[in-house]
Amino acid sequence: DADMRIFGTLRGLADAVVVGAQTVRQEGYRPARAREAFAARRAALGQPPAPVIAVVSAGLELDFSLPLFTEPLVPTIVLTGARAAPDRVAAAREAGAEVIVAGDSERVEPGRVKRALSERGLTRLLTEGGPKMLGQFAAAGALDELCLSLAPMVAAGAAPRIMNGPRLEVPERFVLASVMEEAGFLFTRYRRI
């Protein structure tokens, strides 16, 4: 329950939620919704009633008939590379998404994602994943904070790490900014040094 409250707070404070296309497909991502608890704060900061969902997708292999594209409270953004298929770009735009080129090839560059969103006034970004995209952001030096929840249990399996991406030759250093505990669960926030 505490994890979901924190997750909701992070979303409630964000200008945009950045998510990879694979996560959108696997989790059936929906548009962000307005939360009454954050309405006054968002209005005072000039934020829309809900955060923008910004989907990172090189190939634009997305189902544009999903509510994420057809029913958002604020228009969904799709970030792609310059060599994205023109018919897929057109399909995204026809569905109401704003398409932003954030890479010179077919790939999306994490540093350009941050710049492109910042140019639109979206500076408080919450990167929800998945592990591959988070690893790419970390490798590009585009990750400023990391919120990590730890559960008091042990599980084994072949699941990937929280980040799967390019190898970091020199690990980035982060410092603990805050930690909260509830029922043995730890909720941490780290900032890049």
Side-chain angles (χ1 to χ4, degrees), residues 23-183:
T23 299
V24 167
R25 287 189 290 269
Q26 288 180 340
E27 296 184 9
Y29 247 65
R30 300 190 58 78
R33 52 193 170 98
R35 297 176 187 254
E36 185 60 37
F38 298 100
R41 183 185 189 286
R42 292 186 70 83
L45 292 174
Q47 292 175 304
V52 171
I53 303 292
V55 182
V56 175
S57 178
L60 297 176
E61 293 301 320
L62 298 161
D63 180 354
F64 295 114
S65 69
L66 292 174
L68 177 62
F69 301 102
T70 62
E71 301 172 15
L73 190 57
V74 291
T76 298
I77 292 176
V78 177
L79 298 124
T80 193
R83 294 189 189 151
D87 63 319
R88 298 304 298 161
V89 171
R93 288 186 173 133
E94 285 172 21
E98 178 184 358
V99 178
I100 300 172
V101 173
D104 293 329
S105 64
E106 62 280 343
R107 298 191 55 119
V108 177
E109 299 167 26
R112 288 187 57 183
V113 168
K114 281 182 70 172
R115 279 193 304 277
L117 294 175
S118 179
E119 289 169 359
R120 286 159 178 77
L122 306 172
T123 58
R124 189 177 295 230
L125 308 179
L126 176 61
T127 306
E128 290 186 357
K132 183 178 175 184
M133 190 183 77
L134 191 56
Q136 291 170 347
F137 271 65
L143 185 66
D144 300 320
E145 290 187 354
L146 176 66
C147 294
L148 184 63
S149 299
L150 302 171
M153 58 185 70
V154 174
R161 298 175 178 187
I162 64 165
M163 289 186 210
N164 277 346
R167 178 183 162 101
L168 290 173
E169 295 302 323
V170 178
E172 287 246 24
R173 301 283 304 172
F174 282 68
V175 63
L176 183 65
S178 65
V179 62
M180 295 181 289
E181 182 272 342
E182 183 175 297

